[in-house]
Every structure is written in structure tokens, then in C-alpha cells.
């Protein structure tokens, strides 16, 4: 079937900045927004088997006007100039172009797509590292999840899913929500809910507290001999003693937050409030060590929360057979996109074979 993959633009092409303006370059890549990148075939061929194959195809004769500029072949690509500039810098030696930083999710998504399209495995690994960057994950875990899921990146998907536990169960709208289906989102929400359920028993059974401290002597700050009020909840006992009421309040408020965001990070959110509350009540005995004691205890609780959620089986994954078919299809489709329209014939797809046919039967590439 014939597919029109590009349209001729009337905008006058401009030149890309250094190092993609070299006078000795041997081919021009033209971005979707009409910026010409003068590049070297050798660098691109070494980085990408797709480029290597492309450069072996018959090129327009020197001196003709078709797909040439300054006697160099011009290949139009679908990427815009920003994306093209970024992934070409990854392809070039570091002495000519430093690797760009990837901290913006829009850039990460675009470069990941280009890396997949042109079989740039090394660049894909670097993009995956950027997607798993804690700084990026902490800021926008849902967007990271959607990008990783859509790209079929298992490790990055699971990592992002864990970071989403730091946010409420019902997410707000986010830019990449159209990259996942309702079933995908339901799988994430189900995982989130199971983690909340796994954390709840920590408030009902304090064996993890008594096991850590050993005895009341090792945790005297929770059951001290002072005038501070004790918990009136008969279910909350530590070594058969009622703990301090301000500690019980901290636990109840923290576990209320954990119902919506079952993450160890959430445990830390109420510590400073509790410290200030204790100090404001004026008990010298509790105030003296409350900061160190609460920080130590919150570390313990955070660890127990992480253990509980880690025990939840994460079923967020894609069927391997579907992955294989989609990856092959993506490769075939991307293989055809970079070719000038005059030399492309058709893309044939069947359940068992995909191939792209060009000007003659002998120029056929495909996968079975």
C-alpha cells in the first residue's frame, strides 16, 4: 500500500549551527522544520545500522536538482531541528560535540523515539538512564511511567510505578496520558491500591517496633516517666505500656496519608510538625531528644513501608509476543520513512512477514 510520508515545504531551509555546518560534510539531513544539518556519513553509519543501510542506497546523480544541495544528497527526516540536533550530538565524537543533557521529559520522549527509529542502541540506553533519573522521577513520575510503558521499557516502567506511590491514588491530568490506555492506568491504580493495603498492618501490629528497639529501655522516649499525656487507645500498646499521645497522633496522621500515597517518603512529611508540637508543650524530658528520636523512628518506619510495598507483586508489563511484533513493525516502518518519496514504493505487512519494497525487486528489505 502506498503511503505519503512527507509533504514538500515552501519554507526556505536554514543551516544548522556548528558542528553541523562543516564544509567537508558529505550528506545533508533536513529536519521537519527545514533546517539543514551538514553531517558525515561515517559518524552516523558507525552509530546506526539504519543510517548505514540508508547510505548504501542509490543516491541522486551529482549535478541534478532532485534531492541535492551544493552537490550533496539531501535526506528529509521527520524529526524537528531540536530533536535532530540532540541525537546527532550523541552520534558525533565527543571531541566535536558533547553529549547533551536530558532532564526535560519532552526531550527524553522525542530522543527515545528517534533512537528507536534509527536503531541507535547506545543512545537509547542513555535516554533510559535519563528516564530513570531520580530527579526526573521525583518531579513527574506519572509522565515517566507513561513514556516508559509506551516504549515497552520494563525496568523503567516498574521504577516509575514505584515513584508514583508518592502521589495520591487518583492522579491529576498529565501531558502523556494519551500514551497509555484505560487498562494501563487501571493496572497502575490497582498496584497503588495493593501497596496501600500492604502498608496498613504496620499500624495494627507493632512487632516491628519492639523488635527493633529490643525492650522499653531501648525506647524509653516512647514510654517515658513524664507528665505528657498517654494514648487512650487500648489497642496501642508498647511493652504493655501506653505510648505518648503525640506519638500516637503522628502515627494516625501518617497512616492516613499512607492510604493515598504508600511511600516511605511520606513518612517524613509529618516529622517536623511533631517535633514543633512536642517542644511547644513544654516537657523538658520529651523536648530534649524529640528531634533525634523522631528522625530515627521515621527512618525505621519508612524502611518498613518500603519493605511492605516491595512485597506487592507488580504485574505492570507487556506481553512479550506483542513486544516482538511491535518492535519489528516499528523497525520496518521507520526504515521506510527517511527515504525520498521518489524512491519509495510500498510497505507490505502480513502476519508473518514485513518488508519495504523500493524501485526494483532486488532492493527489498524485511523481517520474517
Amino acid at each position: 500500500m502506498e503511503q505519503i510520508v512527507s509533504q514538500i515545504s515552501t519554507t526556505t531551509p536554514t543551516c544548522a549551527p556548528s558542528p553541523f555546518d562543516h564544509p567537508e560534510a558529505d550528506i545533508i539531513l533536513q529536519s521537519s522544520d527545514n533546517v539543514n544539518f551538514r553531517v558525515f556519513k561515517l559518524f552516523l553509519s558507525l552509530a546506526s545500522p539504519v543510517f548505514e543501510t540508508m547510505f548504501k542506497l542509490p543516491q541522486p546523480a551529482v549535478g541534478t536538482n532532485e534531492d541535492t544541495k551544493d552537490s550533496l544528497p539531501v535526506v528529509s527526516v521527520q524529526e524537528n531541528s531540536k530533536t535532530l540536533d540532540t541525537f546527532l550530538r550523541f552520534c558525533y565524537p565527543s571531541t566535536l560535540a558533547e553529549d547533551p543533557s536530558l532532564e526535560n521529559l519532552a526531550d527524553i520522549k522525542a530522543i527515545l523515539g528517534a533512537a528507536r527509529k534509527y536503531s541507535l542502541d547506545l543512545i537509547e540506553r542513555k535516554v533510559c538512564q535519563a528516564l530513570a533519573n531520580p530527579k526526573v522521577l521525583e518531579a513527574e513520575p506519572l509522565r515517566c511511567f507513561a513514556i516508559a510503558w509506551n516504549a515497552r521499557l520494563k525496568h523503567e516502567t516498574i521504577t516509575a510505578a514505584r515513584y508514583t506511590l508518592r502521589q495520591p491514588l487518583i492522579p491529576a491530568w498529565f501531558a502523556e496520558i494519551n500514551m497509555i490506555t484505560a487498562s494501563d492506568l487501571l493496572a497502575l491504580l490497582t498496584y497503588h491500591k495493593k501497596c496501600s493495603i500492604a502498608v496498613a498492618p504496620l499500624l495494627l501490629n507493632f512487632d516491628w517496633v519492639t523488635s527493633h528497639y529490643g525492650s522499653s529501655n531501648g525506647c524509653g522516649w516512647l514510654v517515658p516517666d513524664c507528665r505528657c499525656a498517654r494514648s487512650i487507645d487500648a489497642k496501642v500498646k508498647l511493652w504493655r505500656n501506653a505510648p505518648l499521645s503525640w506519638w500516637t497522633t503522628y502515627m494516625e496522621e501518617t497512616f492516613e496519608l499512607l492510604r493515598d500515597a504508600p511511600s516511605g517518603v511520606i513518612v517524613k512529611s509529618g516529622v517536623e510538625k511533631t517535633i514543633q508540637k512536642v517542644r511547644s508543650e513544654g516537657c523538658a524530658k520529651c523536648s530534649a531528644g524529640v528531634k533525634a528520636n523522631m528522625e530515627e523512628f521515621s527512618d525505621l518506619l519508612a524502611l518498613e513501608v518500603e519493605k511492605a510495598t516491595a512485597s506487592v507483586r507488580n504485574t505492570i508489563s507487556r506481553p512479550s509476543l506483542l513486544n516482538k511484533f511491535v518492535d519489528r513493525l516499528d523497525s520496518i516502518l521507520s526504515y521506510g520513512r527517511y527515504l525520498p518519496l521518489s524512491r519509495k514504493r510500498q510497505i507490505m505487512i502480513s502476519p508473518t512477514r514485513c518488508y519495504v519494497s523500493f524501485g526494483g525487486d532486488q532492493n527489498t528489505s524485511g523481517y520474517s
Side-chain angles (χ1 to χ4, degrees), residues 55-207:
F55 296 146
K56 290 178 180 178
L57 294 173
Q59 302 297 328
V62 176
T64 65
N65 291 327
E66 182 184 359
D67 301 315
T68 63
K69 178 179 174 57
D70 300 333
S71 300
L72 295 180
V74 177
V75 177
S76 297
V77 296
Q78 291 187 329
E79 289 69 34
N80 63 30
S81 56
K82 183 179 181 181
T83 300
L84 193 57
D85 182 275
T86 301
F87 89 72
L88 285 176
R89 289 181 186 277
F90 279 118
C91 295
Y92 265 49
S94 58
T95 52
L96 297 178
E98 294 184 359
D99 286 354
S101 61
L102 291 174
E103 295 184 352
N104 182 288
L105 276 176
D107 293 340
I108 290 174
K109 181 171 65 173
I111 299 304
L112 179 58
R116 286 282 180 86
K117 176 177 176 180
Y118 296 104
S119 297
L120 299 163
D121 294 340
L122 177 60
I123 298 177
E124 183 177 340
R125 288 196 292 273
K126 290 184 177 180
V127 175
C128 289
Q129 291 173 1
L131 193 58
N133 183 340
K135 181 179 178 181
V136 177
L137 284 165
E138 288 170 6
E140 298 181 287
L142 277 170
R143 294 183 66 195
C144 290
F145 171 83
I147 294 170
W149 173 272
N150 183 265
R152 302 178 295 283
L153 301 171
K154 182 176 180 180
H155 171 72
E156 288 75 14
T157 297
I158 293 174
T159 301
R162 286 196 61 80
Y163 270 81
T164 65
L165 297 177
R166 304 180 182 195
Q167 297 186 348
L169 176 62
I170 304 300
W173 183 91
F174 55 98
E176 284 72 24
I177 195 168
N178 63 328
M179 297 181 70
I180 59 176
T181 67
S183 296
D184 302 335
L185 183 57
L186 179 60
L188 179 63
L189 297 181
T190 299
Y191 167 68
H192 201 293
K193 185 62 177 179
K194 287 181 177 178
C195 287
S196 297
I197 293 171
V199 167
L202 294 174
L203 186 60
L204 304 176
N205 186 330
F206 293 109
D207 286 350

Side-chain angles (χ1 to χ4, degrees), residues 193-252:
K193 185 62 177 179
K194 287 181 177 178
C195 287
S196 297
I197 293 171
V199 167
L202 294 174
L203 186 60
L204 304 176
N205 186 330
F206 293 109
D207 286 350
W208 55 278
V209 178
T210 56
S211 175
H212 176 78
Y213 289 104
S215 67
S216 58
N217 292 330
C219 190
W221 64 276
L222 272 180
V223 285
D225 182 16
C226 69
R227 62 182 179 82
C228 291
R230 298 297 193 272
S231 171
I232 60 174
D233 188 345
K235 296 180 181 178
V236 181
K237 296 287 186 180
L238 293 172
W239 299 284
R240 299 182 180 180
N241 295 312
L244 294 163
S245 61
W246 58 258
W247 177 81
T248 304
T249 299
Y250 162 77
M251 292 291 285
E252 290 173 347

Side-chain angles (χ1 to χ4, degrees), residues 1-12:
M1 55 182 167
E2 295 186 356
Q3 296 185 3
I4 299 175
V5 297
S6 64
Q7 295 181 345
I8 299 174
S9 174
T10 57
T11 305
T12 302

Side-chain angles (χ1 to χ4, degrees), residues 16-28:
S18 178
F20 308 119
D21 58 353
H22 202 286
E24 300 299 321
D26 50 11
I27 197 166
I28 295 174

Side-chain angles (χ1 to χ4, degrees), residues 273-288:
K273 175 185 174 182
T274 299
I275 293 172
Q276 296 305 320
K277 178 181 179 181
V278 172
R279 288 175 174 173
S280 68
E281 290 179 354
C283 176
K285 196 164 189 177
C286 288
S287 297

